[in-house]
């Protein structure tokens, strides 16, 4: 399997993701630099977390206009799987791969801790109920109007909800999927929950089940 | 040939205005054999400021213990300390203060403090893997102190998070002496390949001096001399001396710098910190025993009309100076272009051993490089006058007067005392602080902030580093020598509690005006104590930072040396947490000898700060530590925590709370034989000494029942005293003498004690 990881100046979770994909899942990976278009010859694409372009203007706004994201549009047309994590999710909403927007956390603070999640939709049966992942963001407050929220629910597009909403997200939404089930965006970081730590909420190593689920059928 | 200087002469009056001392103008004339130009005078004022020259501390610092087979960089000569961790890798670490900027502009002050220390580490060719911070504020019930607390934490978080470096721990302590002068100490730990360790020594006549990174503006001009004064109301008008940080720029500079070092393109490198381009160019040339010609017109500027001393002293952030060969210059430029950063050749290495400064074709300064810097003994060195300050103390009779007799049968009083102690901001959970810091990025976390020490894996290896930062201004203000021993010992215990072998020390010395003999007494005694403890523990002090003038019109802050310590675990999975698991036996292990005087308990309950500090015996520390590390390697123990502020009851409760935070149900039952044992020396009228007294050389250890015999025999063989405190339970009870105390409400008190101020 071959994964493309889009890297922007200010991305800072690209190496973590790369490590997990290569060492845990034996993927071949390619880091795709923002100033270049790329050939759509990968099986899956990731947009990592971080602060692309320093979060200037709005988080994700400038990255969404980059040449590499332009190529990602080709990939979307070819029904490739695309996963955006944290800043990657913000880029996917800015580039309109996914609906809605991510605004500043309700408490106006950066929030970095492990959050309990409720897997839904596609992930309902594939991820254990007792599931938590680390979050680390200042703009993770998902915004959706009444119509969008209805649409997301009707199409089973909500994939994760927070058990204890940390950031004010509409309807506790932590992650969504596109209508055609190809594009995923989520604020929590599954790539940080693959190697075990000794002081994080149990069950440990819960990031694997996310990757296991999305890699099924690749 | 006599150099013709374009600049006018600087006067003794200007020297004074620039912050130079009486007599230093004459010393300059003596050193350079003529009167300095105005630009040169400004250069001396920066380089001879306390901040750059360590003029009032260097004589003592040179005596600090620093011996180790692992040492890769002599202290004070490179940008950060470096210790070998295996054949290939080195840990590079350092701590630095940013107190004065944070007092004036807390958000930017704290943020640029983080930026500066990160640069010191990646300048060595090390990729930062974790950062820590040590913070001091006045009590958070005042709005101003809350503002400083919130903004400093936000500044640290925003900068470190954006840069993408995990925060692995730290400490926060509140005392009203810090109200107008908070302390912000930031530490960074990085990993370098030994073969790629970079140096700051310039060499190679004719080599190019390259400026890389952000553009230069007028920000932070005279930040170094600003940091060398008392804070007063006028300081609030000195905001222009506080730099503004851009973590995005720093991230780019870090990646580009590390790429250049990894490709072996760099001969010497230093970041531009205090006194900016001036300090980097003079220190690099002086340590390499060469000269540099600088052409200021070539410096990328973001403001117009800047004059030479502004270019030289600007403290614009996120800039580096490199020495490269002609051949490698285009390759360096290519790397920086990729990261969309400025790079420019602004000078060259000469054999004249002078720093010559050109601007618009004219020469503004022509100074012997060794006259400017501290390591070449150019800057003056002073040892200040000392006046002993007697430790506050109370007779034992008086102590019994202010002791609260903890009657373990009186649930109401017991509950109140426990709640009050663990909810105090100095004892309560610090999660409201560290949950604003990214702690998991880098995929290296084994144990994050909040426990004894942070443990983070060494990338691409089985090893892990343990790291902690500790200060105890409270003890030091009572007894500076013994308090310093305690401070180092606490760091040592924190590293040992995490299962790691202590490796080395960095330090940040936060004291008041050194020209007051009382202040210098605390400084000298504490530095001596720190060095003596390091010698006893055989831990090299690899470097650090001194911050004087931490005082306001209300008086000095508590004298607060901060110890940063790193330790090594050969196997990351051997890391010990402080979480007490259910169904375990819990012991006090070590030379437990608690004292109530100088305890946080006494301070919290009665607002009394008095001596003496608890007894400390460093051989006991070492003996206990050796035994615990061995017991851990033999898998005999399940958790460890050192006994510090709040005594054993706090350490015990925190161990249970950590499990609760991991969604594990856990409670505790005190051993029924504990209080009825005739050997038990604490009776009803002094049980609070037992529960809340502070003691050196002791730990709270949990042991699974199957290991009980092995553990007890092992400790007996090693002559380490143990006391069975009780057993952890699988249910949420906290049982003392058949009485169930409200552990859930204790947990809430501990969680909310500090977070309610955010």
């Amino acid at each position: 399997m071959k994964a493309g990881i889009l890297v922007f100046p200010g991305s800072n979770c690209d190496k973590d993701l790369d490590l997990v994909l290569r060492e845990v899942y034996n993927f071949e990976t390619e880091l795709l630099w923002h100033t270049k278009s790329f050939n759509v010859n990968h099986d899956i694409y990731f947009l990592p977390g971080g602060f692309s372009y320093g979060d200037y203007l709005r988080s994700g706004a400038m990255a969404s206009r980059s040449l590499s994201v332009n190529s990602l549009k080709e990939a979307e047309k070819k029904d490739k799987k695309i996963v955006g994590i944290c800043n990657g999710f913000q880029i996917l909403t800015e580039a309109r791969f996914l609906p809605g927007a991510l605004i500043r956390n309700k408490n106006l603070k950066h929030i970095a801790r492990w959050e309990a999640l409720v897997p839904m939709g596609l992930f309902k049966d594939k991820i254990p109920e007792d599931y938590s992942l680390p979050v680390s963001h200042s703009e993770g407050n998902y915004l959706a109007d009444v119509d969008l929220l209805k649409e997301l629910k009707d199409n089973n597009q909500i994939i994760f909800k927070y058990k204890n909403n940390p950031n004010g997200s509409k309807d506790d939404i932590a992650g969504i999927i596109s209508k055609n089930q190809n594009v995923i965006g989520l604020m929590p970081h599954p790539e940080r929950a693959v190697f075990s730590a000794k002081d994080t909420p149990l069950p440990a190593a819960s990031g694997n089940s996310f990757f296991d689920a999305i890699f099924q059928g690749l | 040939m006599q150099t013709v200087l374009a600049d006018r002469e600087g006067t003794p009056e200007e020297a004074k205005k620039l912050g130079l001392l009486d007599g230093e103008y004459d010393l300059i004339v003596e050193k350079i054999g003529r009167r300095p130009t105005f630009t040169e005078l400004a250069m001396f004022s920066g380089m001879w400021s306390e901040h750059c020259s360590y003029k009032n501390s260097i004589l003592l610092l040179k005596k600090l213990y620093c011996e180790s087979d692992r040492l890769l960089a002599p202290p004070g000569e490179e940008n950060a300390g470096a210790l070998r961790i295996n054949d290939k890798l080195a840990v590079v670490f350092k701590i630095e203060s940013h107190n004065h900027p944070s007092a004036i502009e807390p958000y930017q002050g704290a943020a640029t403090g983080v930026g500066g220390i990160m640069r010191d580490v990646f300048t060595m060719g090390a990729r930062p893997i974790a950062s820590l911070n040590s913070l001091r504020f006045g009590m958070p019930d005042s709005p101003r102190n809350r503002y400083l607390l919130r903004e400093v934490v936000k500044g640290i978080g925003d900068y470190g998070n954006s840069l993408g470096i995990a925060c692995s721990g730290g400490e926060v302590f509140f005392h009203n002496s810090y109200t107008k002068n908070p302390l912000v100490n930031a530490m960074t730990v990085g990993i370098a390949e030994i073969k790629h360790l970079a140096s700051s020594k310039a060499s190679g006549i004719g080599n190019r001096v390259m400026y890389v990174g952000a553009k230069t503006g007028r920000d932070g001009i005279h930040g170094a001399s600003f940091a060398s004064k008392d804070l007063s109301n006028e300081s609030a008008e000195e905001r222009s001396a506080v730099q503004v940080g851009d973590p995005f720029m720093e991230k780019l500079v870090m990646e580009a710098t590390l790429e250049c070092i990894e490709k072996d393109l760099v001969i010497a490198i230093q970041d531009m910190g205090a006194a900016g381009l001036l300090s980097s160019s003079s220190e690099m040339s002086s340590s390499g025993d060469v000269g540099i010609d600088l052409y200021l017109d070539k410096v990328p500027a973001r403001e117009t009309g800047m004059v030479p001393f502004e270019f030289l002293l600007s403290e614009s952030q996120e800039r580096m100076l490199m020495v490269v060969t002609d051949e490698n210059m285009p390759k360096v430029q290519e790397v920086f272009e990729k990261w969309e950063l400025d790079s420019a050749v602004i000078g060259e290495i000469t054999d004249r051993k002078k720093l010559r400064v050109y601007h618009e074709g004219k020469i503004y300064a022509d100074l012997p490089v060794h006259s400017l810097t501290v390591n070449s003994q150019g800057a003056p060195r002073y040892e200040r006058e000392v006046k002993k300050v007697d430790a506050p103390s109370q007779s034992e009779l008086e102590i019994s007067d202010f002791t609260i007799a903890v009657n373990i049968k009186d649930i109401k009083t017991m509950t109140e005392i426990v709640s009050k102690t663990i909810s105090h901001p100095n004892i309560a959970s610090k999660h409201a602080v560290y949950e604003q810091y990214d702690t998991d990025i880098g995929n290296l976390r084994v144990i994050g902030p909040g426990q004894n020490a942070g443990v983070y894996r060494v990338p691409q290896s089985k090893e892990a580093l343990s790291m902690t930062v500790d200060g105890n201004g409270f003890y030091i203000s009572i007894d500076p020598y013994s308090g310093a021993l305690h401070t180092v010992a606490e760091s040592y215990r924190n590293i040992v509690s995490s299962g790691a072998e202590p490796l080395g020390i960095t330090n940040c010395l936060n004291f008041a005006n050194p020209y007051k003999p009382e202040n210098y007494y605390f400084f000298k005694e504490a530095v001596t104590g720190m060095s003596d403890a390091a010698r006893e523990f055989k831990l090299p002090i690899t470097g650090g930072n001194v911050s004087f003038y931490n005082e306001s019109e209300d008086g000095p802050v508590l004298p607060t040396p901060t110890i940063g310590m790193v330790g090594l675990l050969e196997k990351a999975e051997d890391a010990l947490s402080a979480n007490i698991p259910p169904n375990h036996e819990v012991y006090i292990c070590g030379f437990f000898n608690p004292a109530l005087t100088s305890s946080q308990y006494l301070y919290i309950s009665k607002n009394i700060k008095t001596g003496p500090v608890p007894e400390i015996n460093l051989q006991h520390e070492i003996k206990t530590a050796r035994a615990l590390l061995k017991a851990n390697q033999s898998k005999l123990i399940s958790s460890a925590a050192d006994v510090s502020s709040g005594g054993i009851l706090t350490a015990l409760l925190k161990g249970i709370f950590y499990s609760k935070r991991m969604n594990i149900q856990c409670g505790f039952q005190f051993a029924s034989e504990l209080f009825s044992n005739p050997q038990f020396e604490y009776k009803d009228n002094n049980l609070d000494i037992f529960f809340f007294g502070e003691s050196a050389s002791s730990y709270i250890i949990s042991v699974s029942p199957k290991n009980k015999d092995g553990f007890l025999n092992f400790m007996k063989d090693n002559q380490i005293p143990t006391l069975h405190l009780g057993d952890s339970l699988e249910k949420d009870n906290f049982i003392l003498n058949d009485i169930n105390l409200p552990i859930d409400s204790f947990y809430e008190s501990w969680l909310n004690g500090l977070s309610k101020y955010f």
Side-chain angles (χ1 to χ4, degrees):
Chain A
M1 288 292 160
K2 195 172 167 192
I5 301 174
L6 277 66
V7 186
F8 307 92
S11 295
N12 61 24
C13 303
D14 45 323
K15 292 193 171 72
D16 296 355
L17 198 54
D18 184 50
L19 184 80
V20 168
L21 294 177
R22 280 187 297 107
E23 295 202 352
V24 182
Y25 290 95
N26 282 318
F27 271 57
E28 197 184 314
T29 58
E30 189 179 0
L31 300 179
L32 303 165
W33 190 237
H34 69 125
T35 52
K36 287 180 192 147
S37 310
F38 58 83
N39 291 326
V40 180
N41 56 10
H42 309 79
D43 301 294
I44 186 167
Y45 292 93
F46 285 92
L47 292 104
F51 294 71
S52 53
Y53 301 90
D55 270 359
Y56 290 141
L57 190 58
R58 280 189 313 276
S59 43
M62 288 170 73
S64 70
R65 268 77 178 165
S66 65
L67 280 172
S68 61
V69 169
N70 231 6
S71 297
L72 200 64
K73 287 177 183 156
E74 294 295 311
E76 188 195 21
K77 279 184 205 141
K78 291 184 180 169
D79 283 341
K80 295 284 183 184
K81 288 254 190 298
I82 298 169
V83 181
I85 299 169
C86 200
N87 190 225
F89 186 13
Q90 292 162 344
I91 295 168
L92 289 176
T93 57
E94 283 287 343
R96 310 314 298 162
F97 285 70
L98 289 170
L102 291 147
I103 61 168
R104 190 146 275 266
N105 296 342
K106 204 174 164 192
N107 71 356
L108 304 180
K109 291 186 173 73
H110 190 92
I111 300 170
R113 58 172 179 246
W114 286 60
E115 285 294 342
L117 297 170
V118 186
M120 304 182 57
L122 183 67
F123 289 102
K124 198 167 186 214
D125 303 320
K126 294 181 180 167
I127 284 180
E129 229 175 280
D130 207 1
Y131 190 71
S132 54
L133 287 177
V135 301
S136 178
H137 56 247
S138 296
E139 278 104 17
N141 181 351
Y142 185 74
L143 198 64
D145 62 17
V146 181
D147 295 341
L148 173 58
L149 197 61
K150 184 172 182 306
E151 198 183 315
L152 291 174
K153 285 179 180 167
D154 289 350
N155 299 319
N156 274 329
Q157 281 179 260
I158 302 171
I159 53 169
F160 287 115
K161 283 190 178 190
Y162 299 109
K163 270 191 189 155
N164 312 297
N165 191 339
N167 53 24
S169 271
K170 197 78 177 170
D171 218 34
D172 306 327
I173 288 173
I176 58 171
I177 193 165
S178 61
K179 217 182 271 182
N180 66 4
Q181 311 268 297
N182 282 336
V183 184
I184 287 174
L186 74 166
M187 288 314 293
H189 287 271
E191 83 280 11
R192 297 183 184 181
V194 172
F195 304 105
S196 68
K198 298 210 172 190
D199 63 339
T200 47
L202 298 176
S206 53
N208 295 68
S209 38
F210 172 81
F211 290 109
D212 293 344
I214 59 167
F215 294 155
Q216 269 175 22
L218 256 193
Chain B
M1 190 185 78
Q2 181 67 42
T3 306
V4 181
L5 291 160
D7 201 9
R8 67 170 175 83
E9 258 177 26
T11 65
E13 291 72 40
E14 282 169 335
K16 209 163 184 183
K17 266 193 195 157
L18 286 165
L20 288 163
L21 299 178
D22 289 342
E24 288 182 343
Y25 183 87
D26 296 336
L27 193 62
I28 291 168
V29 174
E30 191 185 309
K31 283 205 182 264
I32 67 174
R34 60 175 166 81
R35 286 168 170 266
T37 67
F38 174 74
T39 303
E40 289 173 337
L41 199 56
M43 290 163 74
F44 277 108
S45 82
M47 291 308 292
W48 286 14
S49 70
E50 189 71 57
H51 198 75
C52 289
S53 75
Y54 294 84
K55 58 186 165 191
N56 289 307
S57 59
I58 189 74
L59 290 171
L60 283 172
L61 299 182
K62 286 284 172 199
K63 293 183 198 162
L64 291 177
Y65 178 79
C66 187
E67 286 170 32
S68 168
D69 303 342
R70 298 176 180 270
L71 202 66
L72 294 167
E77 289 185 23
E78 292 292 350
N79 287 293
L83 296 171
R84 183 189 304 277
I85 51 178
N86 58 32
D87 292 346
K88 288 195 183 118
L89 300 176
V91 54
V92 174
F93 64 112
K94 194 183 176 189
I95 190 168
E96 216 166 64
S97 64
H98 232 213
N99 305 335
H100 294 103
S102 304
I104 306 297
E105 217 301 292
Y107 179 85
Q108 289 296 345
T112 51
V114 173
I117 196 65
M118 293 283 185
R119 281 197 299 284
D120 277 336
V121 168
F122 71 71
T123 304
M124 298 278 292
R127 181 169 283 277
I129 63 163
S131 68
L132 304 96
N133 53 78
S134 169
L135 310 177
R136 297 290 183 280
F137 301 96
M139 296 309 295
D141 44 11
S142 102
R144 170 79 189 169
N145 290 339
R146 278 203 298 280
Y147 158 76
L148 291 172
L149 168 69
R150 289 175 187 158
E151 290 296 303
V152 163
V153 169
K154 194 170 168 48
I156 291 172
D158 284 357
Y159 204 101
N161 296 341
S162 181
L163 196 57
I165 309 300
C167 177
S168 66
E171 49 154 19
V172 191
F173 184 86
F174 300 89
H175 185 272
N176 273 336
S177 69
Y178 302 111
T179 293
K180 289 190 178 159
N181 194 134
L183 303 183
V184 176
N185 294 178
M187 170 170 164
T188 295
V189 179
I191 297 288
E193 280 193 69
I194 294 171
K195 66 175 178 193
H196 283 138
L197 267 181
S199 166
S200 65
K201 288 184 178 65
S203 66
I205 310 306
N207 278 340
R208 304 294 174 167
V209 176
M210 282 186 85
Y211 170 113
V212 297
K215 288 180 168 56
T216 297
R218 287 193 174 91
D219 38 344
I221 289 181
H222 282 128
S225 19
F226 161 65
S228 308
K229 291 201 278 207
D230 301 354
L231 283 180
S232 66
N233 289 333
E234 285 164 37
S235 304
E237 290 158 22
E238 300 207 29
R239 274 178 208 253
S240 73
V242 179
Q243 315 84 333
V244 177
D246 178 355
F248 173 59
M249 180 63 84
E250 176 113 333
K251 165 80 175 160
L252 304 180
V253 172
M254 176 172 82
E255 295 300 340
T257 304
L258 288 173
E259 192 174 327
C260 287
I261 294 174
E262 210 167 287
K263 290 179 172 167
D264 270 331
L265 301 177
V266 180
I267 294 196
I269 179 166
Q270 184 160 334
D271 82 298
M272 298 191 214
L277 176 58
L278 166 64
S279 68
S280 51
S281 57
S282 57
E283 285 170 9
M284 289 173 83
S285 53
S286 168
S287 64
D289 198 27
V290 293
I292 289 182
D293 282 358
L294 280 182
Y295 301 90
L296 297 180
D297 322 67
K298 313 263 188 201
V299 172
R302 65 172 146 73
E303 293 184 50
T304 53
M306 287 176 66
V307 297
F309 89 88
E310 292 176 319
F311 276 110
L312 289 165
L313 286 158
S314 162
E315 293 186 6
S316 293
Q317 298 288 293
E318 293 96 21
R319 304 176 303 156
M320 314 284 273
L321 201 64
M322 289 180 179
V323 176
V324 298
T325 60
D326 248 352
E327 188 195 346
N328 284 332
M329 194 179 71
K331 294 178 194 159
V332 170
Q333 276 166 337
E334 198 180 306
V335 172
F336 278 82
E337 262 163 38
K338 173 184 152 192
W339 293 98
E340 298 176 16
L341 291 167
D342 277 316
S343 69
V345 174
I346 63 162
E348 62 181 34
I349 305 296
T350 69
D351 59 2
R352 295 176 61 250
K353 298 184 189 178
K354 284 197 169 185
L355 183 61
R356 186 148 62 170
V357 178
Y358 290 86
H359 187 54
E360 293 169 349
K362 295 178 194 144
I363 302 171
Y364 280 78
D366 189 31
L367 293 173
V369 290
H370 298 308
S371 69
L372 288 162
T373 62
V374 55
N375 281 329
S376 59
Q377 309 207 11
R381 299 170 169 211
Y382 309 111
E383 184 149 359
R384 291 284 151 207
E385 194 189 326
V386 163
K387 189 173 166 196
K388 187 174 191 303
V389 180
D390 287 328
S393 71
Q394 313 246 344
S395 73
E396 267 186 50
L397 185 76
E398 285 172 291
I399 289 172
S400 70
D401 284 345
F402 53 66
T403 302
I404 306 159
V406 175
N407 181 346
I408 54 174
K409 286 166 198 138
D410 177 359
I411 312 178
K412 191 165 166 280
T413 316
M414 189 72 195
T415 305
E416 274 171 19
I417 293 171
V418 175
S419 298
K420 190 171 177 185
T421 307
I422 57 173
S423 66
H424 189 274
N426 286 348
I427 307 273
S429 170
K430 307 295 187 286
H431 68 277
V433 174
Y434 62 73
E435 284 184 354
Q436 294 187 51
Y437 306 150
D438 199 328
T439 53
D440 296 68
I441 191 162
N443 255 338
L444 302 171
R445 169 182 177 163
V446 181
I447 296 172
Q451 298 213 351
N452 306 302
V455 179
Y456 281 68
R457 268 181 285 268
V458 176
Q460 330 275 323
S461 100
K462 287 191 169 121
E463 292 157 324
L465 286 172
S466 169
M467 49 200 94
T468 179
V469 53
D470 300 281
N472 196 335
F474 206 77
Y475 281 13
I476 307 259
S477 68
I478 294 166
D479 181 344
Y481 180 82
S482 187
L485 300 183
H486 272 285
T487 309
V488 180
E490 185 178 349
S491 279
Y492 183 79
R493 287 196 299 275
N494 279 330
I495 297 290
V496 169
S497 311
S498 72
E501 182 74 47
L503 283 191
I505 293 171
T506 179
N507 69 93
C508 191
L509 305 170
N510 307 279
F511 288 83
N513 185 342
Y515 293 92
K516 294 178 190 157
E518 293 85 356
N519 294 340
Y520 208 72
Y521 164 74
F522 282 106
F523 178 72
K524 192 173 177 180
E525 289 291 305
V527 169
T528 310
M530 182 175 77
S531 185
D532 287 354
R535 182 176 295 109
E536 198 93 357
F537 290 137
K538 297 194 172 65
L539 294 174
I541 299 174
T542 62
N545 162 248
V546 180
S547 170
F548 281 129
Y549 305 97
N550 290 293
E551 57 187 84
S552 66
E553 62 271 22
D554 299 339
V557 302
L558 296 181
T560 312
T562 308
I563 299 293
M565 196 180 283
V566 294
L568 182 65
L569 277 139
E570 277 178 21
K571 285 186 238 149
E573 68 262 27
D574 287 346
L576 260 182
S577 77
N579 320 325
I580 297 178
N583 300 322
H584 274 55
E585 304 212 343
V586 177
Y587 292 85
I588 302 175
C589 188
F591 297 82
F592 182 59
N593 182 15
L596 266 194
T597 55
S598 77
S599 70
Q600 282 300 299
Y601 167 72
L602 203 57
Y603 175 61
I604 291 164
S605 57
K606 295 269 177 173
N607 203 21
I608 292 172
K609 180 169 87 106
T610 184
V613 300
E615 278 179 24
I616 181 160
N617 176 329
L618 298 180
Q619 284 309 317
H620 282 169
E621 290 287 356
I622 294 169
K623 208 171 152 181
T624 314
R626 300 259 53 94
L628 277 183
L629 289 176
K630 259 194 202 155
N632 181 46
Q633 274 166 8
S634 312
K635 312 263 184 243
L636 290 174
I637 54 187
S638 304
S639 75
D642 84 305
V643 177
S644 58
S645 300
I648 55 153
L649 196 64
T650 301
L652 175 69
L653 283 168
K654 284 199 312 204
I656 294 164
F657 297 161
Y658 295 146
S659 285
K660 282 180 172 290
R661 272 177 72 80
M662 293 174 69
N663 307 326
I664 301 166
Q665 269 212 337
C666 189
F668 189 77
Q669 177 156 23
F670 281 92
S672 53
E673 79 279 3
L674 180 68
F675 304 106
S676 56
N677 187 337
Q679 305 285 309
F680 187 73
E681 56 191 288
Y682 307 94
K683 299 299 168 203
D684 280 356
N685 63 347
N686 63 0
L687 261 182
D688 46 359
I689 298 183
F690 176 70
F691 281 133
F692 299 108
E694 295 173 14
S695 167
S697 321
S698 14
Y699 300 79
I700 296 284
I701 303 294
S702 74
V703 179
S704 106
K706 70 175 184 343
N707 288 328
K708 177 189 169 183
D709 292 342
F711 168 76
L712 287 176
N713 288 334
F714 180 84
M715 288 300 159
K716 205 173 168 191
D717 291 347
N718 285 280
Q719 298 160 319
I720 306 297
T722 52
L723 176 70
H724 182 215
L725 201 53
D727 305 307
S728 60
L729 308 171
E730 214 169 352
K731 51 188 181 200
D732 291 338
N733 289 340
F734 194 71
I735 300 166
L736 179 64
N737 254 15
D738 298 331
I739 295 164
N740 189 12
L741 292 168
I743 187 141
D744 284 334
S745 108
F746 292 159
Y747 184 50
E748 288 300 311
S749 303
W750 178 73
L751 280 180
N752 296 330
L754 178 59
S755 61
K756 68 181 178 196
Y757 296 112
F758 277 86

